[in-house]
Amino acid sequence: MFRGEDVLEVARKYIGAKYVLGARAVLANKDHKGPWDCAELASWCCYQAYGIVFGTYGRDPRTADAYSGKWWEDAQKAGTLISLEEAFVTPGAVLLRKPGANAIGHVGFSRGDGGTVEARGRAYGVVETEDARGRAWDGGALVPGVEYSQGAPLAPPPRVSMLYRVRHPFMRGEVVERIQKALRKRGFHPGRADGVYGPLTEASVFNFQAFKGLAADGMVGPETARALGIDL
């Protein structure tokens, strides 16, 4: 029986490897060493650990193309979407952020203790994180045919700074205005510095993050704020 922990053993072998957005990893090539993007690492490791093609366009392991949106779609079709709370305590479960109009999606493996193993971004590569609960995720997923165990309940996460993102109604205020001014100063174009975190600001943040090699999600948390040179 396949175990959720099996995929973590595979993924950990590539910690420190390079991240390249859009990199392709042929699932049938067991000797691939990188570079990786988040979905390719997830689908490739699942195939190596379980022999299961998941989260891809196509099902032929020689040609299948992994994509974060397909991870959500495949899990939805299989009925294996789970809550974030469950995913964070399930070793080998997959944490998902759906792609949007101005931001790419993201995929990472849960360690079962709040941490992850993931291809995080160009500035990070493939990394192991200690607590991903303060980041933007939409849900979790399990791979059909895999037996998962659950770890112990987690202690409350450390306090995290406000995450600035598109919400409805839009987030407003002096901090948003500072974000916009910092983006303009660095040659990005969030529109007028009006203190409203709308789609133009989101797209500008996404472009800034992609340029800097950060996790590109169109949201401003502590890491993006530091890169912009502002305090939240």
Side-chain angles (χ1 to χ4, degrees):
M1 176 64 72
F2 300 128
R3 304 174 307 131
E5 291 87 345
D6 296 340
V7 78
L8 291 172
E9 293 178 12
V10 175
R12 283 189 171 107
K13 296 176 183 177
Y14 301 96
I15 289 174
K18 187 177 181 180
Y19 172 100
V20 173
L21 179 63
R24 288 293 302 276
V26 176
L27 305 189
N29 177 14
K30 63 180 179 60
D31 297 319
H32 186 77
K33 300 293 191 297
W36 309 95
D37 79 359
C38 64
E40 294 288 335
L41 178 70
S43 292
W44 188 90
C45 289
C46 278
Y47 186 72
Q48 304 310 313
Y50 311 132
I52 296 171
V53 179
F54 204 76
T56 62
Y57 288 108
R59 288 292 181 262
D60 185 334
R62 297 168 297 179
T63 57
D65 187 11
Y67 175 55
S68 57
K70 284 295 292 179
W71 268 93
W72 186 275
E73 182 180 317
D74 284 0
Q76 192 171 44
K77 287 180 179 178
T80 58
L81 288 174
I82 59 175
S83 69
L84 278 175
E85 291 75 14
E86 185 178 355
F88 278 128
V89 297
T90 303
V94 178
L95 299 168
L96 300 172
R97 185 179 71 240
K98 294 184 287 186
N102 295 317
I104 60 174
H106 192 61
V107 183
F109 291 117
S110 170
R111 298 192 317 193
D113 61 357
T116 64
V117 179
E118 59 184 290
R120 189 170 181 190
R122 180 167 53 84
Y124 315 97
V126 179
V127 294
E128 193 159 359
T129 73
E130 293 304 314
D131 200 326
R133 288 177 290 168
R135 290 163 52 194
W137 305 99
D138 291 307
L142 306 177
V143 176
V146 176
E147 184 174 300
Y148 292 91
S149 59
Q150 284 198 358
L154 301 178
R159 182 183 178 278
V160 296
S161 299
M162 175 72 76
L163 185 66
Y164 289 83
R165 61 187 298 185
V166 169
R167 299 180 187 273
H168 298 285
F170 292 141
M171 301 182 76
R172 299 169 180 265
E174 183 267 339
V175 173
V176 177
E177 185 177 346
R178 284 195 281 119
I179 290 169
Q180 293 167 326
K181 288 179 177 179
L183 288 164
R184 291 172 66 88
K185 181 178 179 181
R186 287 157 178 79
F188 296 87
H189 304 284
R192 188 164 57 91
D194 57 3
V196 179
Y197 204 107
L200 282 176
T201 299
E202 178 187 53
S204 186
V205 169
F206 173 81
N207 290 332
F208 172 76
Q209 291 168 324
F211 176 76
K212 297 292 287 186
L214 302 172
D217 55 15
M219 308 173 197
V220 179
E223 290 181 340
T224 298
R226 281 196 294 272
L228 285 169
I230 63 173
D231 295 321
L232 296 182

